Amino acid sequence: MDPIFLLSGLLLLTFGLLGVEVAEPGLLEEHLLRVGLALLALLGGSLLSVRFLLRHALWLLLGNLFLLALVLLVGSGPYGVRRWFDLGPLAFQPSELAKVSLVLYLASFVGRRGEDYPILGPALLVGGTVGLVLVEPDFATAVFLFLLGASLFVLAGVPWRRLLAIGLAGLLVLAPFSGAYLNRFRYVSERFSGFLGYLRGEARPEEAAYQVLQAQKAILLGGPLGQGPGGSLPHLPEAHNDMVFASVVFATGWLGGLMVLLLYGLLFLRGLNLALRLQGAEGLVALGLTLYLTFQAALNIGVTLGFLPVTGIPLPLVSYGGSSLLVSGLALGLLLSLAQEARRKEAKRWSS
């Protein structure tokens, strides 16, 4: 197995244990179970054939779309939203799996048809995936899926004129419904207004910006070397999940936070190197999975540091969320599988 991928993933999981321990000690045992499942997903992903997944990528995405539609009917979540299936001690969120299935499908399509082939069909599938997540409602994940899909189209070499035409058409279709959406799901506009309040130096405990101020307070209290897992963390909503980076820094210090950033940087550079070593659809899968893990991490950490509005997106391989841990473990496992495939191809070229 690729040592950089594997070691980076294991260390991030370890930092997650420290972050959850200092944030919510009572959740540590349950988080250990989730980490164990993430490791099993990592192992399973490393044993899977990415070529096999690419051949069946359309059906995987259609299955994911079915789950996204089903969760709107029988799913559950806080405050009346429907985002996940309750599976006893665990809850499964189909929108997390969509991040991987979307990457596999788009890579498969471009690999089979080429970058200059009409992309209306794939664009509709991306739009359908984003739309179903949007009405759960999960605005931040929907935007992330849209950006991930658009990035893969751009990096695959799809002509800009085609992307702009489809993007403009989609905007014209959605624009008439934006007011009704924001009126029904007020939390979206409230988060933006809370972020503006934070920029003005105003934040009440009931506002999302309060989380950011408390996260920054925890980071400052962490100091260079941290307070350790037994430290008394200031009141911080979602300290074990969305704001877990602040908990990690509080426990391990600024040095620990720098190590987390370094680990994601290593994942990005190693994933980019792997994408360049592979060709066609496999290279695009490597690039897409790398973007999923590292771009989402950048968004989460940017929120914690106060650079972005609060999104609710978890930190891959670190946050408490079970679905996020499971899917990010799977994504890392698939990168390990692709790294093994790259080594086999290189060995074959050297021997021939």
Side-chain angles (χ1 to χ4, degrees):
M1 288 189 177
D2 188 283
I4 295 179
F5 280 137
L6 185 60
L7 185 59
S8 297
L10 293 177
L11 287 174
L12 286 170
L13 289 169
T14 303
F15 274 113
L17 288 171
L18 289 170
V20 171
E21 166 66 14
V22 74
E24 295 285 348
L27 295 177
L28 182 60
E29 185 175 341
E30 187 175 344
H31 189 62
L32 278 168
L33 171 63
R34 296 177 178 213
V35 168
L37 292 175
L39 289 172
L40 288 176
L42 187 153
L43 177 61
S46 69
L47 297 175
L48 284 173
S49 167
V50 175
R51 286 185 179 181
F52 174 83
L53 294 177
L54 286 169
R55 286 197 298 269
H56 299 86
L58 175 60
W59 294 107
L60 291 174
L61 182 59
L62 291 176
N64 208 151
L65 284 169
F66 172 75
L67 292 177
L68 288 171
L70 185 63
V71 81
L72 295 175
L73 300 175
V74 300
S76 60
Y79 311 112
V81 304
R82 297 180 184 273
R83 293 182 183 173
W84 55 74
F85 299 107
D86 281 322
L87 305 174
L90 298 174
F92 176 69
Q93 201 166 347
S95 58
E96 288 294 325
L97 186 59
K99 297 167 184 175
V100 172
S101 61
L102 202 61
V103 168
L104 288 169
Y105 169 69
L106 292 178
S108 171
F109 178 84
V110 174
R112 287 182 292 108
R113 302 294 179 88
E115 68 274 6
D116 202 30
Y117 193 85
I119 59 166
L120 181 59
L124 289 174
L125 286 173
V126 172
T129 304
V130 170
L132 287 170
V133 175
L134 199 61
V135 299
E136 290 183 355
D138 191 347
F139 182 80
T141 301
V143 171
F144 180 79
L145 287 168
F146 171 79
L147 293 176
L148 183 62
S151 299
L152 286 172
F153 278 134
V154 171
L155 293 170
V158 175
W160 279 97
R161 64 185 186 281
R162 193 165 294 165
L163 293 174
L164 289 174
I166 291 176
L168 181 60
L171 184 63
L172 291 174
V173 170
L174 292 177
F177 302 99
S178 59
Y181 181 86
L182 293 174
N183 185 57
R184 181 175 179 183
F185 305 120
R186 293 183 180 274
Y187 84 96
V188 177
S189 55
E190 287 172 356
R191 285 183 172 177
F192 280 102
S193 62
F195 180 66
L196 293 176
Y198 157 76
L199 294 178
R200 293 192 300 266
E202 306 167 359
R204 295 187 296 274
E206 66 272 14
E207 291 181 334
Y210 174 78
Q211 284 181 284
V212 178
L213 292 177
Q214 291 299 100
Q216 292 174 345
K217 181 180 178 180
I219 290 172
L220 290 174
L221 289 174
L225 300 178
Q227 303 290 328
S232 181
L233 184 73
H235 177 252
L236 175 58
E238 295 297 318
H240 60 296
N241 198 356
D242 304 340
M243 295 290 171
V244 73
F245 180 71
S247 301
V248 169
V249 176
F250 179 81
T252 64
W254 304 335
L255 181 61
L258 185 62
M259 285 188 65
V260 170
L261 295 176
L262 177 62
L263 290 171
Y264 282 118
L266 285 174
L267 281 179
F268 176 77
L269 293 175
R270 192 61 171 175
L272 186 60
N273 174 265
L274 178 60
L276 293 173
R277 289 161 58 197
L278 294 166
Q279 294 180 345
E282 291 178 333
L284 197 56
V285 171
L287 189 58
L289 294 177
T290 300
L291 287 178
Y292 152 47
L293 292 172
T294 57
F295 181 39
Q296 182 168 314
L299 289 177
N300 177 280
I301 294 171
V303 168
T304 305
L305 297 178
F307 298 142
L308 298 169
V310 173
T311 61
I313 289 181
L315 188 58
L317 299 169
V318 179
S319 286
Y320 173 77
S323 298
S324 174
L325 271 175
L326 195 66
V327 176
S328 54
L330 173 64
L332 188 57
L334 292 176
L335 285 172
L336 287 168
S337 176
L338 287 168
Q340 291 174 325
E341 179 65 22
R343 282 196 297 272
R344 282 194 293 268
K345 289 181 177 180
E346 289 165 354
K348 186 180 295 185
R349 282 199 297 268
W350 280 106
S351 61
S352 60

